[in-house]
Amino acid sequence: ILPVLVACGLEAADVASAEAHLKRVEALVEAGAAPRSALDAARRQLQDARHEAFLRETLYAGNVTPDQVPEMLRAASELRARAAETLASQRKLVSEGVLTERALDRWQQDFAYAERQWELAQSRAKLIEELADMARREAELAADADRLLALQVEGKGVLTDQDFSSI
């Protein structure tokens, strides 16, 4: 599976390339020139590319709304889970002697990156929640302040220059 993906030079975050790759793999599988597992891998890669694109739009660009937070967390979580799964399968190949220990470097870096993405997504989600809460409290306070000002007006009802000089 992996050599098919690597040979195509496919970038994980490029949705258009992932879609084109999926179509190529579908054609190869239909022709019997590639195993079904390659099709599954291409579908997973397309999903990962979509997650990466969504995270670029939200997590990294800072244009995330409270409604997008659950999707942002889900995307980061799925990428992290996929990186952990891939690392585990590569470790298994190392333990079986198929790969060298040094070959794990890339997969460990990918997992570390996915882990940092997950942590950033959680941090951003918390920040968005805190900002939304602050905005709600400010709106409540402004509504209360307007109500209180209307109830506590004292004076003649007209401010003069003399009134301002005493302030």
Side-chain angles (χ1 to χ4, degrees):
I1 298 169
L2 182 62
V4 172
L5 301 177
V6 173
C8 292
L10 189 61
E11 290 291 324
D14 188 358
V15 176
S17 292
E19 288 171 343
H21 177 67
L22 177 60
K23 288 180 182 176
R24 283 192 304 272
V25 171
E26 284 174 340
L28 289 171
V29 169
E30 284 180 27
R36 285 246 174 244
S37 59
L39 184 59
D40 294 338
R43 287 181 179 144
R44 283 191 307 270
Q45 194 163 17
L46 176 58
Q47 187 62 38
D48 287 352
R50 288 180 176 152
H51 288 325
E52 287 284 348
F54 186 75
L55 289 176
R56 276 194 312 272
E57 293 171 11
T58 55
L59 180 62
Y60 298 118
N63 299 328
V64 62
T65 64
D67 295 339
Q68 293 173 314
V69 167
E71 177 67 18
M72 179 184 67
L73 289 171
R74 187 176 67 77
S77 175
E78 287 182 15
L79 287 171
R80 183 176 135 224
R82 181 108 60 233
E85 177 184 309
T86 302
L87 179 60
S89 68
Q90 296 303 310
R91 282 186 174 147
K92 184 178 178 190
L93 292 175
V94 168
S95 70
E96 294 171 353
V98 176
L99 293 176
T100 65
E101 188 74 32
R102 178 106 167 111
L104 284 179
D105 288 350
R106 175 181 175 217
W107 309 113
Q108 290 169 333
Q109 289 172 359
D110 287 351
F111 178 72
Y113 177 77
E115 188 70 23
R116 281 191 304 274
Q117 260 185 329
W118 169 244
E119 291 166 1
L120 285 171
Q122 287 180 311
S123 176
R124 177 61 58 95
K126 184 179 178 189
L127 176 64
I128 296 298
E129 181 182 325
E130 289 172 355
L131 288 173
D133 188 46
M134 285 172 54
R136 262 191 308 278
R137 283 188 270 147
E138 284 178 4
E140 290 170 3
L141 185 62
D144 287 346
D146 289 343
R147 189 171 42 84
L148 290 175
L149 284 175
L151 296 175
Q152 297 179 359
V153 174
E154 295 179 16
K156 301 177 221 168
V158 177
L159 292 175
T160 64
D161 289 338
Q162 188 178 10
D163 294 328
F164 283 112
S165 65
S166 64
I167 298 175

